[in-house]
Amino acid sequence: MHRYFGRKTLIYLLTFIVAVTLNWLIPRFMPGDPVLRMLTRTSVSNPEAIAPMREYYERVFGLDVPLWQQYVNYWVQLLKGNMGVSVWLFPTPVTEVITRAVPYTLALLIPAILLSWIAGNKVGALAARRKWLDNTVLPVGYVLTATPYMWLGILLAWSLGIVGGIFPVAGGYSFELRPEWSLAFVGNLFSHWFLPFLSLFLVAFGGWAIGMRNLIIYELEADYANYLETLGAPRSLIRRYAFRNALLPQLTGLALQLGVLVAGALVTEIVFAYPGLGYLILSAIQNQDFFLLQGTFLFVVIGVLLANFVIDVIYVIVDPRVRVGMQGAS
Amino acid sequence: MSAVSLQVDNLRVYYRTTRGDVKALDGVTFEVADREIMGLAGESGCGKSTLAKSLIRYDGRMRHVSGKALLDGLSLPGGRYTKVSLIPQYAMSAMNPTVKIGRLIADLVRAHGWSYRELLPELVRRLELVGLSADVLNNYPIELSGGMKQRAVMVLSTLLNPSLLIADEVTSALDVTNQRAVAETLVQFRDRGFVTSMIVVTHDISLVYQIADTILVMYAGKLAEKAPAEVLVNAPKHPYTRLLISSLPEVGVRHATRKLTGIPGRPPHLLNPPTGCRFRDRCPLAYDRCAEEPPFTEVEPGHFVACWKAMSEGSPGENQEACAAERSGGTPW
Ligand SMILES: Nc1ncnc2c1ncn2[C@@H]1O[C@H](COP(=O)(O)OP(=O)(O)O)[C@@H](O)[C@H]1O
Ligand code: SF4
Ligand SMILES: [Mg+2]
């Protein structure tokens, strides 16, 4: 057990180091000079003033030292929880910008992932036993999973937002409101949250439902199901076993899909101008704010790694085969 | 023999396929007595498993065409687990891998209205009888070796003392030592009254010969011959049985290659089986009468055979010689 988690931790650590390195590298090779851009934005008209200002900003951002030192500094600062200063929202620290955006993204992602997983598994399992339900769940599920997040988002925004006028289609809350713990504000927050959530939920739901339906059908054909049937076990018992066994590959599926779901959430936020990490990434790119971009990416990577680790642990707890195999090995 | 336990009467079970019915079980009539272990033998594809399934559970493609099967007056399929039970061929994967064995048994017996708590002492006794400790109840199937799983399944299948136990090719996947152990356990289960009678399905006559009281030989969806095991092996009457037995290296002796191979030709396809005797095109003794279907007749007490030749000529020795002569002559049939 210890060896297993030791190995897993090592793998996650390596992934983390690679991710940080890539994350440091990529923006530096992006086209465009962020400092120059900042200078043009502040419209420094005097060409002679540009050189000292440039020097000043490069020092502020730590760009005045050799590359290797920038890399080391990056790690040191990162471990201190400092990701630099945003160019776009200068001089707000990147960490603060991200901290403001994270709740929005998590509020979208966590309910969308959990609810779609639970509902998808339930509906998929039902579909595997009722012909009429199967005939609807299967095609609907396929259409939903095959729909790109962006496209479903646009469709929902257009139909329920613009045409239907039921939900707002942009922002985290209305501009005229001040954030506070009032019913009006929370209601407003919810109505802005609903469409991005729904589009994430629907796409993921289709995938889980189809996966579960296929897994159950496969499980019901397994030898153990056949044997139980031969021994006159009631269908309910066999289905209970099949459902439980099918949940295990669905859990693996969840770990595998996590990255896709996060990417979907980022894209969805962009469609709905929802002030989460996805929207930050877009703004960072538009403003060539590579500190912000780095920080956001890094945050996403750490989040996905952590979530994967949690799923790994859950898997070991729920699947006796893995648990027993590990005990046998140690 | 003593009282009749299982009575199968003119049973016909076909498989529905897009190309028509596969006549896998085409009118079989036989009886199994109380405490009888009947071996059911024949080449692969002759309908053994179909017969076994039609006594327990029809699969989706099986169609009951005619006839009936009665077990102590109960019409089969029916009384699964409590009256008829099965030891499957796939014992290695028969138990749900994610549930502890004790839990599985508890779920199963409770579903049949029994109390696991009350059955537990007997369950443990039986596990110990087959050389397993009570600890296996706390194990997942993956924690058991192949032989242990096989034995656990045997105990599980017979826990409620069924009247009829069907073992379908239970030994095919095992090595020779385990095969012998399983065969002996089956006899022990009968002797201790865990099961009343038993059908042991196999393509391996030399294996059932060691444990069976009687042997029933099937060919192409029909019965060829049934007799006490000794008689069937030492004085078979049906040309097919003789070929099966003469193709064994040495009857009754265990040997690595004692499979039922080596009879030239193939069994007919059961979509459109030939009329008359189904063994006709492979039979070295076939003659004009064989264009008519031979009935399954009792030629001596307890000895049934479906062959015109065997019925008309009383002396089996003669036929056997003819058969052997044909074989050694190497004439292609
Ligand atoms: N599900 C099925 N659908 C169609 N034909 C089948 C099916 N199962 C078995 N058969 C056919 O029925 C015949 C008897 O099969 P089976 O009872 O499995 O033979 P055995 O157990 O003696 O090897 C074979 O010809 C086989 O091809
Ligand atoms: S009935 Fe005829 S063909 Fe059939 S086994 Fe007997 S002799 Fe051979
Ligand atoms: Mg078979």
Side-chain angles (χ1 to χ4, degrees):
Chain A
M1 193 82 94
H2 282 291
R3 257 184 44 198
Y4 175 81
F5 281 112
R7 211 177 55 223
K8 279 277 177 197
T9 313
L10 190 72
I11 292 171
Y12 280 109
L13 209 66
L14 281 177
T15 318
F16 175 67
I17 292 171
V18 170
V20 169
T21 307
L22 279 177
N23 197 29
W24 175 82
L25 277 174
I26 290 169
R28 262 154 247 264
F29 291 96
M30 255 180 25
D33 179 341
V35 175
L36 191 66
R37 189 182 169 89
M38 223 171 120
L39 295 179
T40 25
R41 206 174 48 186
T42 47
S43 26
V44 181
S45 44
N46 182 358
E48 270 158 39
I50 286 189
M53 284 202 66
R54 190 188 178 92
E55 234 167 78
Y56 166 75
Y57 275 121
E58 286 194 339
R59 204 166 52 248
V60 169
F61 293 128
L63 298 174
D64 55 345
V65 294
L67 268 182
W68 68 267
Q69 207 169 345
Q70 286 184 31
Y71 181 65
V72 173
N73 289 345
Y74 182 69
W75 269 106
V76 171
Q77 293 307 314
L78 183 70
L79 296 179
K80 285 191 202 156
N82 179 6
M83 297 193 192
V85 175
S86 166
V87 177
W88 170 44
L89 297 173
F90 190 83
T92 323
V94 166
T95 333
E96 199 184 314
V97 181
I98 292 176
T99 318
R100 263 188 261 146
V102 164
Y104 287 100
T105 299
L106 290 184
L108 274 189
L109 261 180
I110 293 176
I113 289 176
L114 292 182
L115 292 179
S116 69
W117 197 76
I118 294 167
N121 284 330
K122 286 254 186 281
V123 171
L126 275 178
R129 61 196 276 194
R130 292 219 175 53
K131 198 88 209 120
W132 65 266
L133 201 58
D134 199 25
N135 289 338
T136 37
V137 168
L138 205 58
V140 170
Y142 274 119
V143 168
L144 284 178
T145 40
T147 312
Y149 286 96
M150 163 113 46
W151 200 80
L152 187 67
I154 292 172
L155 197 73
L156 286 177
W158 176 77
S159 59
L160 295 179
I162 296 167
V163 176
I166 307 169
F167 292 100
V169 294
Y173 52 86
S174 301
F175 289 122
E176 66 272 15
L177 292 178
R178 292 275 113 224
E180 56 183 1
W181 283 116
S182 70
L183 204 63
F185 182 73
V186 171
N188 189 264
L189 214 54
F190 178 82
S191 69
H192 281 79
W193 167 86
F194 188 75
L195 283 188
F197 160 79
L198 187 65
S199 57
L200 267 179
F201 171 86
L202 284 177
V203 175
F205 168 83
W208 299 131
I210 287 176
M212 186 43 123
R213 177 233 178 227
N214 293 344
L215 282 166
I216 290 263
I217 286 174
Y218 175 82
E219 287 291 332
L220 290 179
E221 278 166 10
D223 284 343
Y224 73 83
N226 219 326
Y227 181 52
L228 281 173
E229 191 119 22
T230 301
L231 298 188
R235 287 304 276 176
S236 60
L237 177 65
I238 300 172
R239 283 189 195 288
R240 205 171 76 216
Y241 284 177
F243 183 72
R244 200 194 129 98
N245 290 356
L247 276 181
L248 297 168
Q250 286 286 81
L251 204 56
T252 311
L254 183 58
L256 292 174
Q257 281 294 303
L258 220 53
V260 175
L261 284 163
V262 170
L266 302 183
V267 167
T268 307
E269 285 176 5
I270 292 173
V271 171
F272 289 95
Y274 199 70
L277 293 176
Y279 192 62
L280 269 196
I281 288 176
L282 180 70
S283 311
I285 292 173
Q286 281 170 347
N287 295 287
Q288 290 183 5
D289 183 347
F290 67 36
F291 295 103
L292 184 58
L293 196 58
Q294 273 178 338
T296 316
F297 272 139
L298 201 62
F299 195 88
V300 170
V301 168
I302 295 172
V304 171
L305 285 179
L306 270 180
N308 258 306
F309 191 75
V310 170
I311 294 176
D312 268 351
V313 173
I314 294 178
Y315 200 92
V316 171
I317 294 170
V318 294
D319 191 345
R321 283 167 294 192
V322 179
R323 204 163 57 227
V324 167
M326 270 166 20
Q327 278 156 2
S330 58
Chain B
M1 285 256 178
S2 49
V4 172
S5 174
L6 173 71
Q7 220 172 344
V8 177
D9 189 18
N10 193 31
L11 190 60
R12 266 175 234 275
V13 176
Y14 296 171
Y15 289 101
R16 271 179 285 239
T17 72
T18 47
R19 287 182 300 152
D21 283 344
V22 175
K23 300 172 185 63
L25 201 58
D26 213 3
V28 302
T29 302
F30 65 94
E31 289 174 353
V32 180
D34 263 359
R35 302 184 51 74
E36 176 176 342
I37 296 182
M38 184 187 88
L40 176 58
E43 284 166 298
S44 165
C46 67
K48 304 184 296 293
S49 293
T50 309
L51 174 54
K53 279 190 279 184
S54 66
L55 300 179
I56 299 185
R57 184 171 73 93
Y58 281 59
D59 74 28
R61 302 173 70 183
M62 285 163 82
R63 183 164 72 88
H64 176 256
V65 178
S66 75
K68 59 176 187 288
L70 290 178
L71 178 68
D72 301 329
L74 168 80
S75 171
L76 298 184
R80 275 181 275 163
Y81 198 35
T82 49
K83 290 284 172 206
V84 197
S85 191
L86 172 95
I87 300 174
Q89 186 171 0
Y90 47 82
M92 300 308 135
S93 53
M95 291 182 288
N96 184 357
T98 62
V99 174
K100 286 184 181 165
I101 292 170
R103 174 80 216 208
L104 176 77
I105 298 177
D107 283 348
L108 186 63
V109 296
R110 285 195 189 120
H112 284 282
W114 290 71
S115 153
Y116 179 64
R117 195 95 63 81
E118 280 167 29
L119 278 171
L120 194 56
E122 180 63 17
L123 173 59
V124 171
R125 235 186 333 271
R126 291 188 185 187
L127 286 173
E128 278 161 3
L129 182 71
V130 298
L132 295 172
S133 87
D135 294 342
V136 299
L137 295 176
N138 265 319
N139 286 141
Y140 292 97
I142 194 182
E143 296 174 272
L144 270 56
S145 72
M148 288 165 85
K149 271 188 254 190
Q150 176 85 45
R151 281 174 279 157
V153 165
M154 289 172 79
V155 170
L156 166 54
S157 286
T158 53
L159 189 58
L160 299 187
N161 295 350
S163 308
L164 176 67
L165 176 70
I166 298 173
D168 191 355
E169 306 273 9
V170 279
T171 57
S172 326
L174 302 176
D175 60 68
V176 175
T177 356
N178 272 319
Q179 279 187 353
R180 160 147 293 164
V182 165
E184 280 163 6
T185 308
L186 288 176
V187 177
Q188 206 174 20
F189 278 15
R190 190 268 317 262
D191 292 347
R192 288 174 182 261
F194 299 171
V195 301
T196 314
S197 16
M198 212 183 284
I199 298 179
V200 180
V201 180
T202 182
H203 57 268
D204 180 354
I205 281 201
S206 65
L207 181 98
V208 278
Y209 171 65
Q210 302 176 18
I211 61 165
D213 303 310
T214 59
I215 295 177
L216 173 62
V217 176
M218 279 188 78
Y219 183 77
K222 287 189 176 289
L223 304 187
E225 185 165 11
K226 184 186 178 190
E230 279 302 321
V231 176
L232 188 115
V233 168
N234 296 318
K237 287 183 187 292
H238 197 287
Y240 176 62
T241 316
R242 285 183 195 159
L243 286 174
L244 279 184
I245 287 169
S246 63
S247 69
L248 298 174
E250 201 178 333
V251 175
V253 173
R254 306 206 57 80
H255 192 279
T257 55
R258 76 218 115 50
K259 297 263 162 63
L260 299 185
T261 50
I263 305 176
R266 284 162 172 277
H269 204 288
L270 298 180
L271 254 176
N272 283 307
T275 54
C277 176
R278 289 192 177 172
F279 190 52
R280 194 160 39 131
D281 59 340
R282 294 168 89 189
C283 179
L285 306 177
Y287 65 118
D288 6 319
R289 184 97 198 253
C290 309
E292 231 179 285
E293 192 182 321
F296 192 61
T297 331
E298 189 163 21
V299 286
E300 276 164 31
H303 194 157
F304 298 78
V305 65
C307 168
W308 293 119
K309 207 81 175 180
M311 274 183 278
S312 58
E313 298 171 14
S315 154
E318 227 173 86
N319 280 346
Q320 190 142 37
E321 273 160 36
C323 217
E326 286 273 0
R327 272 179 73 75
S328 55
T331 12
W333 299 325

